[in-house]
Amino acid sequence: MFLYGESREVMMHVGGLLTFTQAPDAPADQMRGLMDEIRAGAPVYRPWNMRLRTPDLLWNPLQAWQEVDVDLEYHVRRTALPSPGDERELGIVVSRLHGHHIDFHRPPWEVHLIEGLEGQRFALYVKVHHSLVDGFSAMKILANALSTDPAERDRPLFFSIPPPARKRDESEGLHFPELMAIVREQYGASKTALRALREVLTGHHDGLVTPRQAPKCVLNARISRSRRFATQSVETARLRAVAKASGGTLNDVILAVSAASLRRYLLEQDALPDDPLVAMVPVAIRAKEDEGGGNAVGAILASLATDIEDAGERIAEIIASTREAKQQLSGMSKAAILQYSAMLLAPSLAQMIPTTAGHVKPTFNVVISNVPGPDQPLYFRGARLDAAYPMSIPVHGQALNITCNSYAGMMCFGFTGCRDTVPHLQRLAVYCGEALVELEHAFGLAIGTGF
Amino acid sequence: MFLYGESREVMMHVGGLLTFTQAPDAPADQMRGLMDEIRAGAPVYRPWNMRLRTPDLLWNPLQAWQEVDVDLEYHVRRTALPSPGDERELGIVVSRLHGHHIDFHRPPWEVHLIEGLEGQRFALYVKVHHSLVDGFSAMKILANALSTDPAERDRPLFFSIPPPARKRDESEGLHFPELMAIVREQYGASKTALRALREVLTGHHDGLVTPRQAPKCVLNARISRSRRFATQSVETARLRAVAKASGGTLNDVILAVSAASLRRYLLEQDALPDDPLVAMVPVAIRAKEDEGGGNAVGAILASLATDIEDAGERIAEIIASTREAKQQLSGMSKAAILQYSAMLLAPSLAQMIPTTAGHVKPTFNVVISNVPGPDQPLYFRGARLDAAYPMSIPVHGQALNITCNSYAGMMCFGFTGCRDTVPHLQRLAVYCGEALVELEHAFGLAIGTGF
């Protein structure tokens, strides 16, 4: 389904960046040894050995997956950081890797073993096309492939680990792309985005309210082929303390630090709209008539209150906005929630068509997702996982994605943007960290330290 | 014109790989310093500041170039080799870089500053789309941007050097892509390859002989998106000694070592055709009726005599074959030479259409070009240029290119191939070196040492 979106500029692959600190007794060239081991022969399990049957006809309605022999030397790649091998060089290299197309003539994934990261560290960057594994599952698979035991030294990489019995736990959060997939599925996989859009806009919708209009913003322009990626991580306890003090949820605080960062970033560019920015937030909601406690996946629109200067007043407005949106959803049936989400997303589907991007007024300005991750520290052959950052998919009209992933007491923010539409993306990451300090100050909390 | 050929698998960009040995007094992170200097601001001269006016409509018949502001941080990139930083790792990294598409929304070129090469060395990899600068000119521009003075330490990179007054010296050799460009030009830039082909095949051709048919070979299959690049360099004096002993030219010896290497490579794969392989060799020929001593550009077909086991007999057959072909051309007018070359290339244009590749019988099996380069040693900020390897364009039906570039007494062979159609490309490079030893042996010459 995600093959429809693929073009020279819009690449529907997600990524994950994992950084590790090597064990004190690890060999200096651990990555080289790992590569030699893989070259000598490693098994490849589903789905990592699947490719498209007709890669030259991406839109083939009879498109299917088939198992193939995998040339692991193609899929597993070594990369090194130029000196000094700091976070900036890591960001540059990963941005570049994330900007390359995936080859559909092979199973659509790659993993890069990145060495030369200062402080006895290394990184893994994993790229998967969304048609093979969605971003949410990808992060879960990556985490499951790691060990909770620092002494375990022979664990293979994720593709050599047999898949567990599948059970999908919908309560754990949702990425923007998955939601879009569900919406598209609803409107028929064989229809184009444009036809789906027409149906949504002209159909009846159980008397749902029309979403508030988001202001025009530079973030909702056409994108180019290049990506920029930046990261930030903070202790989750600090976010929870602000949530408690402000009467909001953890998600509200994530929205608030993102809002503060975006406000400052856009002000500097003299591009802050007068009206507050609107964020689309994928949520899991307990629907009204559902038996057995199942959850519905949906989306809410939240005001980021970027028109408000005071940090305390801003988060209060954000909390009020998400509360209202969730209340509205919770009164609906599962089908209605999905229909409502479709309506929210419809204009965004239209924006994905290059010629309309930047002309259609956006329903929302930015997507902010929060995906809970593992709580306990994880290891790969004795190396401790320091942070896990999800990388999402910028599309025409949505040039920036903010995706959070929690891990072992840390909240890891990944900012994925279009290099040209969102210049100096790194600043957004820096400002997020400073925004948290500002919020702690506003609520009289002890100031924590950045990570 | 080369925009017509661009697709997901066929990328019409050429490349050059230059390796340098650092000056003893050079700073350890010379590449980092160079990047900082470029970030601080560097001028960009034509053609490096030109991009297509309508990059989303590559085939637009009104396509034109326009000058734009250049985001140098996009075009100039730092890369590091993973340990141990040897020629193999360099080959892997450069193959990967050569396999990525160029972004037509920007001036279509990139330069990669590659550090971490063992032995106090670094490398530059330059990628240019063929529509901006042809490969022959690109190598010349690169060489001209270097210094003959090892003491000069402030020379900028090529894009910051104003272009010299243009004079094209046609006598110096020619790449396959240039020749193809001239042929296409002849048949109208707005016509498709297929229409040009029909005209060539059904038209009259001054009673020219039809070229001999090349055998079917694995080298003439459909290509994938990935590239593999391998290099070899030998002392030109050794090639000249064999040329003198065998009564052939330098080009004949280049063909002979290539032939020996291909024969061995294909034998190992149990894929050597019974009939001898045919090489297409771009040449500059003094045409019959030309006043003022101008040269015509054309192509000859040469037998590689891969059916002959004995190295001495094989080169004798190659020499006879090229002599006959050149004699045939030298009796023709400039227009006839071009027409003849077009006829040779016509089936290859048809092969470039993915669905026909592998079905049409090839006119030739491989392209082998020789481009003379600078004679004297060159330097970049005190670092001595060790070798300069051209990288060419594999197309559907022509999965392998062998291109030679002479430099300061060395002959640098660049093998550019499709990763999947020509597996273990590295072996071709190794076998070329060994083939020269075999030839020296056959002619009783003192055996030289590989470089």
Side-chain angles (χ1 to χ4, degrees):
Chain A
M1 193 170 312
F2 278 95
L3 302 173
Y4 284 95
E6 189 81 14
S7 75
R8 259 187 194 254
E9 287 85 36
V10 181
M11 291 164 278
M12 304 300 275
H13 56 251
V14 291
L17 175 65
L18 312 182
T19 59
F20 294 85
T21 298
Q22 286 191 291
D25 61 338
D29 51 359
Q30 193 173 7
M31 292 299 101
R32 187 176 168 196
L34 181 60
M35 190 74 215
D36 288 343
E37 192 186 306
I38 289 165
R39 277 206 188 101
V44 181
Y45 292 101
R46 281 172 73 115
W48 311 106
N49 62 348
M50 315 265 288
R51 58 152 250 206
L52 291 175
R53 198 177 297 274
T54 59
D56 294 317
L57 297 164
L58 285 187
W59 294 22
N60 185 348
L62 300 177
Q63 188 63 273
W65 293 92
Q66 62 186 16
E67 291 195 24
V68 292
D69 284 339
V70 179
D71 173 6
L72 274 182
E73 281 197 63
Y74 176 86
H75 295 273
V76 185
R77 303 171 171 202
R78 292 177 69 206
T79 299
L81 297 184
S83 65
D86 56 11
E87 309 299 318
R88 182 191 183 193
E89 296 298 338
L90 179 63
I92 291 173
V93 163
V94 170
S95 302
R96 209 183 286 161
L97 296 176
H98 201 60
H100 293 142
H101 277 276
I102 272 188
D103 187 353
F104 286 109
H105 291 83
R106 312 173 191 272
W109 62 275
E110 295 166 13
V111 54
H112 297 254
L113 318 178
I114 303 174
E115 63 193 57
L117 186 57
E118 62 182 7
Q120 293 284 350
R121 291 181 299 154
F122 65 87
L124 300 182
Y125 162 71
V126 182
K127 176 197 269 191
V128 188
H129 198 269
H130 212 278
S131 56
L132 186 69
V133 179
D134 65 72
F136 172 68
S137 305
M139 289 304 279
K140 271 201 90 120
I141 290 170
L142 287 180
N144 287 342
L146 300 176
S147 173
T148 51
D149 177 9
E152 190 183 334
R153 293 296 157 97
D154 56 357
R155 182 171 281 252
L157 280 174
F158 60 91
F159 52 83
S160 291
I161 294 178
R166 197 184 168 100
K167 61 170 201 297
R168 191 187 165 101
D169 185 354
E170 283 177 346
S171 67
E172 291 198 45
L174 194 71
H175 274 294
F176 174 49
E178 281 90 85
L179 185 60
M180 197 100 103
I182 292 166
V183 166
R184 287 202 191 175
E185 197 165 15
Q186 170 87 342
Y187 287 92
S190 64
K191 294 174 189 174
T192 64
L194 206 60
R195 281 175 61 200
L197 168 67
R198 206 181 306 129
E199 273 182 48
V200 170
L201 292 181
T202 57
H204 296 286
H205 298 287
D206 294 4
L208 290 178
V209 291
T210 312
R212 72 185 89 188
Q213 290 274 307
K216 274 206 160 196
C217 177
V218 291
L219 298 177
N220 306 105
R222 215 190 138 160
I223 62 170
S224 80
R225 229 186 67 182
S226 308
R227 299 289 167 265
R228 194 85 93 168
F229 180 62
T231 61
Q232 173 68 273
S233 58
V234 297
E235 289 154 42
T236 311
R238 293 176 59 197
L239 299 172
R240 287 203 191 280
V242 173
K244 196 175 165 197
S246 64
T249 65
L250 182 66
N251 260 326
D252 290 332
V253 184
I254 288 173
L255 292 179
V257 296
S258 303
S261 171
L262 282 165
R263 176 183 150 84
R264 186 167 158 195
Y265 173 83
L266 291 171
L267 265 179
E268 279 180 357
Q269 291 189 43
D270 203 19
L272 183 70
D274 290 336
D275 291 327
L277 291 185
V278 175
M280 196 279 268
V281 186
V283 289
I285 291 277
R286 187 164 293 259
K288 202 173 67 175
E289 65 206 32
D290 233 4
E291 71 289 326
N295 281 310
V297 291
I300 61 167
L301 295 185
S303 167
L304 291 180
T306 45
D307 54 332
I308 300 176
E309 202 184 328
D310 181 81
E313 287 174 37
R314 198 185 310 123
I315 192 169
E317 175 68 23
I318 290 170
I319 293 168
S321 153
T322 60
R323 202 166 277 164
E324 187 193 344
K326 280 184 280 188
Q327 207 145 21
Q328 196 174 33
L329 277 198
S330 66
M332 293 183 200
S333 70
K334 205 163 177 168
I337 288 173
L338 193 58
Q339 225 172 15
Y340 174 77
S341 303
M343 193 169 67
L344 296 192
L345 287 170
S348 136
L349 291 178
Q351 279 180 348
M352 282 177 65
I353 302 158
T355 46
T356 64
H359 302 295
V360 176
K361 215 173 170 198
T363 319
F364 50 87
N365 303 104
V366 60
V367 180
I368 304 178
S369 319
N370 173 23
V371 183
D375 290 329
Q376 73 283 33
L378 296 175
Y379 298 86
F380 177 68
R381 300 191 174 191
R384 187 190 190 276
L385 177 66
D386 295 321
Y389 302 100
M391 298 175 74
S392 197
I393 308 173
V395 296
H396 289 307
Q398 290 294 337
L400 174 70
N401 259 276
I402 303 178
T403 310
C404 300
N405 186 58
S406 62
Y407 162 64
M410 301 300 295
M411 184 63 73
C412 307
F413 287 73
F415 302 78
T416 317
C418 163
R419 182 192 162 91
D420 300 275
T421 314
V422 192
H424 312 297
L425 181 68
Q426 184 63 38
R427 290 183 195 162
L428 281 170
V430 174
Y431 297 166
C432 255
E434 292 172 11
L436 179 55
V437 174
E438 192 188 24
L439 277 167
E440 288 170 328
H441 209 78
F443 290 100
L445 298 166
I447 308 297
T449 46
F451 182 62
Chain B
M1 194 171 311
F2 279 94
L3 302 173
Y4 284 95
E6 189 81 14
S7 75
R8 260 190 192 252
E9 287 84 37
V10 182
M11 291 164 278
M12 305 299 276
H13 55 251
V14 292
L17 175 65
L18 312 181
T19 58
F20 294 85
T21 298
Q22 286 190 289
D25 61 337
D29 50 359
Q30 194 173 6
M31 293 298 103
R32 188 178 167 195
L34 180 60
M35 190 73 217
D36 287 344
E37 191 186 307
I38 289 164
R39 278 206 187 99
V44 182
Y45 292 100
R46 278 173 75 114
W48 312 105
N49 62 349
M50 316 265 288
R51 58 152 251 205
L52 292 174
R53 198 178 296 275
T54 59
D56 294 316
L57 298 164
L58 284 187
W59 293 22
N60 185 348
L62 300 177
Q63 187 63 274
W65 293 93
Q66 62 185 15
E67 292 195 24
V68 292
D69 285 339
V70 178
D71 173 6
L72 274 182
E73 282 197 63
Y74 176 87
H75 295 274
V76 185
R77 302 170 173 203
R78 293 176 68 205
T79 299
L81 297 182
S83 64
D86 57 10
E87 309 300 316
R88 182 191 183 195
E89 295 300 337
L90 180 63
I92 291 173
V93 163
V94 170
S95 302
R96 209 182 286 160
L97 296 177
H98 202 59
H100 293 142
H101 277 274
I102 270 188
D103 188 352
F104 287 109
H105 291 83
R106 311 172 193 273
W109 63 275
E110 294 165 13
V111 53
H112 296 254
L113 319 178
I114 301 174
E115 63 193 57
L117 186 57
E118 62 182 9
Q120 293 285 351
R121 292 180 298 154
F122 64 88
L124 300 183
Y125 162 70
V126 182
K127 177 197 268 189
V128 188
H129 198 269
H130 211 277
S131 56
L132 185 70
V133 179
D134 65 72
F136 172 70
S137 305
M139 288 305 280
K140 273 201 89 121
I141 290 171
L142 287 181
N144 287 341
L146 300 176
S147 173
T148 51
D149 177 7
E152 191 185 333
R153 295 295 158 99
D154 56 357
R155 182 171 281 251
L157 280 174
F158 60 92
F159 53 81
S160 291
I161 293 178
R166 198 185 167 100
K167 61 171 198 306
R168 192 187 164 101
D169 185 355
E170 283 176 346
S171 68
E172 291 199 45
L174 194 72
H175 274 295
F176 173 50
E178 282 89 87
L179 185 60
M180 197 101 104
I182 292 165
V183 167
R184 287 203 191 178
E185 200 165 12
Q186 171 86 342
Y187 288 93
S190 65
K191 294 175 189 171
T192 67
L194 205 59
R195 281 176 60 198
L197 168 66
R198 207 181 303 131
E199 272 182 46
V200 170
L201 291 182
T202 57
H204 295 285
H205 297 288
D206 295 2
L208 290 178
V209 292
T210 312
R212 72 185 88 186
Q213 291 274 304
K216 273 206 160 194
C217 177
V218 291
L219 298 177
N220 307 105
R222 214 192 138 158
I223 62 170
S224 78
R225 229 186 68 182
S226 307
R227 299 290 166 264
R228 193 86 91 169
F229 181 63
T231 61
Q232 174 67 274
S233 58
V234 297
E235 289 152 43
T236 312
R238 293 176 59 197
L239 299 171
R240 288 205 191 280
V242 173
K244 197 176 164 197
S246 64
T249 64
L250 182 66
N251 260 327
D252 291 331
V253 184
I254 289 172
L255 292 180
V257 297
S258 303
S261 171
L262 281 167
R263 177 182 149 85
R264 185 168 159 198
Y265 173 83
L266 291 171
L267 266 179
E268 279 180 356
Q269 292 188 43
D270 202 19
L272 183 70
D274 292 336
D275 291 329
L277 291 185
V278 174
M280 196 279 267
V281 186
V283 288
I285 291 278
R286 187 162 294 257
K288 201 174 66 176
E289 64 207 31
D290 233 3
E291 71 288 327
N295 282 312
V297 290
I300 62 166
L301 295 185
S303 168
L304 290 180
T306 44
D307 53 333
I308 300 174
E309 202 183 326
D310 181 80
E313 288 174 37
R314 198 186 308 123
I315 192 169
E317 174 68 22
I318 291 169
I319 292 167
S321 153
T322 60
R323 202 167 277 164
E324 186 193 343
K326 279 184 282 190
Q327 206 145 21
Q328 197 174 31
L329 277 197
S330 65
M332 292 184 201
S333 70
K334 204 164 180 169
I337 289 173
L338 194 57
Q339 225 172 14
Y340 175 76
S341 304
M343 193 169 65
L344 296 192
L345 287 170
S348 136
L349 291 178
Q351 278 180 348
M352 283 177 63
I353 303 158
T355 46
T356 65
H359 302 296
V360 177
K361 216 173 170 198
T363 318
F364 50 88
N365 303 105
V366 60
V367 180
I368 304 179
S369 319
N370 173 23
V371 183
D375 290 328
Q376 73 284 35
L378 297 176
Y379 299 87
F380 177 69
R381 301 192 174 190
R384 186 189 190 276
L385 177 66
D386 296 320
Y389 302 101
M391 299 175 74
S392 197
I393 308 173
V395 296
H396 289 308
Q398 290 294 338
L400 175 70
N401 259 278
I402 303 178
T403 310
C404 300
N405 186 58
S406 62
Y407 161 64
M410 301 300 295
M411 185 63 73
C412 306
F413 287 73
F415 302 80
T416 317
C418 164
R419 181 192 164 92
D420 299 277
T421 314
V422 192
H424 312 295
L425 181 69
Q426 184 63 37
R427 291 184 193 160
L428 280 170
V430 173
Y431 297 167
C432 255
E434 292 172 14
L436 179 56
V437 174
E438 193 188 23
L439 277 167
E440 287 170 328
H441 209 78
F443 289 100
L445 298 167
I447 309 297
T449 47
F451 183 62

